[in-house]
Amino acid sequence: MLKKIFVTSSIMVMILLIYLMPGVIELDNNDIATSVEYVDLTTSTVYLLDNDDLLVEANVSIVDDGNVINKIKSLIKHLSEASSEIIPNGLNFVMPKDIHLLDVSLDEKIVKLNFSKEFNDLSDKRLIRLVEAISFTLIDLDEVDGVSIFIEGKNINTFNDKIPEVVTKDFGINKKYDIEKTDDIVKYVIYYSEKIEDDIYYVPITKYINSSSDKISIIIDDLSSNYIYEPNLISIVSEKLELIDYQISNNEMMLNFNNSIFLNGSEIKEEVVYPVISTVFSNYDVESVILKVNGEEILKKTSKNS
């Protein structure tokens, strides 16, 4: 009897609940958003600070909508402390968050950037680093050859004569001076590696030294030397590496090395190739670089951005 009462009561409760529940809502397909917006992403290079106040190459992803002005704005945003972007491991933003980009224009491959007045509040050292970071970041774009920086509509040169009206890569980056006289001064850019946490980054250094040797010989000797300005920077290029000969013709540079460019057997590592190739493109106006070992071609790079 109790079992029958329990079953009957349960059925009645279920019927009551079903009656009280709202009806099933039928959704029309038109009520559901079915459109998906796809965006093209591209990888670009920015220059951020390490803990030793050196600018380091870092790769970031930005939206590529085909508009170079939007690309420039996005890259500048990646330099700022105000950015919501995730910064690469172990690096720091170079532009304080209170500095705002007011306007951007591009004319004949020269970018004009107009910043808020806070840009002029930086110390000389921080200002130079920021100018270096901005100019090298943007000049890496194919569409840009130089950067003209303005503060509230006035060219930065009117406030600081150390900075030219149009900044090109001749301005240098992470500059180091090792000169004892005013004669035979050689300026060159060289790339070192830096390990930060578990990642390898590349650090361009613009050096000024006294020497009467060919620039390329200076560069190779520097890369293969045990002496480096900063203790945290490294070069895994073998100290036994020798440049047998080189040639420049038809916008192409050929470097012929002994087999010490190989680390193990016939293996050549990216940590060797990248500094050598990047250093050549930064110092010579060529479109491609060929690496040879004892006269046999082992590698060719056709673009500094490849």
Side-chain angles (χ1 to χ4, degrees), residues 9-65:
S9 300
S10 298
I11 292 173
M12 294 298 294
V13 170
M14 292 176 63
I15 293 173
L16 180 61
L17 289 174
I18 292 173
Y19 177 78
L20 294 175
M21 286 175 63
V24 177
I25 301 175
E26 295 184 0
L27 293 177
D28 191 299
N29 287 337
N30 294 328
D31 295 329
I32 303 175
T34 57
S35 62
V36 178
E37 182 178 356
Y38 294 95
V39 295
D40 290 327
L41 295 179
T42 186
T43 300
S44 195
T45 302
V46 296
Y47 292 80
L48 301 172
L49 288 171
D50 66 8
N51 290 331
D52 295 311
D53 199 42
L54 291 174
L55 291 169
V56 175
E57 279 191 357
N59 291 325
V60 296
S61 295
I62 60 173
V63 175
D64 185 6
D65 61 358

Side-chain angles (χ1 to χ4, degrees), residues 64-79:
D64 185 6
D65 61 358
N67 187 317
V68 66
I69 296 297
N70 290 339
K71 187 183 294 186
I72 290 169
K73 290 178 180 178
S74 181
L75 290 172
I76 296 297
K77 181 181 177 182
H78 274 82
L79 302 178

Side-chain angles (χ1 to χ4, degrees), residues 145-156:
D145 286 339
V147 179
S148 190
I149 296 175
F150 287 74
I151 302 172
E152 299 282 355
K154 294 183 178 180
N155 192 284
I156 193 171

Side-chain angles (χ1 to χ4, degrees), residues 64 97 102 120 165 171 178 190 197-198 201 211 267-268 289-290:
D64 185 6
K97 60 183 178 182
L102 305 179
N120 212 23
E165 293 183 6
F171 185 67
D178 187 18
I190 191 165
E197 299 182 7
D198 294 326
Y201 297 98
S211 179
E267 178 187 8
I268 180 169
V289 179
I290 294 176

Side-chain angles (χ1 to χ4, degrees), residues 79 210 247 263 279:
L79 302 178
N210 294 118
Q247 183 179 0
L263 294 182
T279 296

Side-chain angles (χ1 to χ4, degrees), residues 214 216 243-257 280 284 286 288-292:
D214 290 343
I216 188 62
L243 180 63
I244 299 173
D245 59 80
Y246 72 94
Q247 183 179 0
I248 301 176
S249 63
N250 299 322
N251 291 321
E252 186 172 80
M253 187 169 195
M254 181 278 296
L255 303 173
N256 186 26
F257 295 103
V280 170
Y284 292 89
V286 294
S288 60
V289 179
I290 294 176
L291 299 186
K292 291 185 177 182

Side-chain angles (χ1 to χ4, degrees), residues 187-206:
K187 170 193 169 187
Y188 63 99
V189 180
I190 191 165
Y191 281 72
Y192 294 116
S193 304
E194 181 177 10
K195 186 173 183 180
I196 302 176
E197 299 182 7
D198 294 326
D199 298 311
I200 297 293
Y201 297 98
Y202 294 99
V203 185
I205 304 289
T206 301

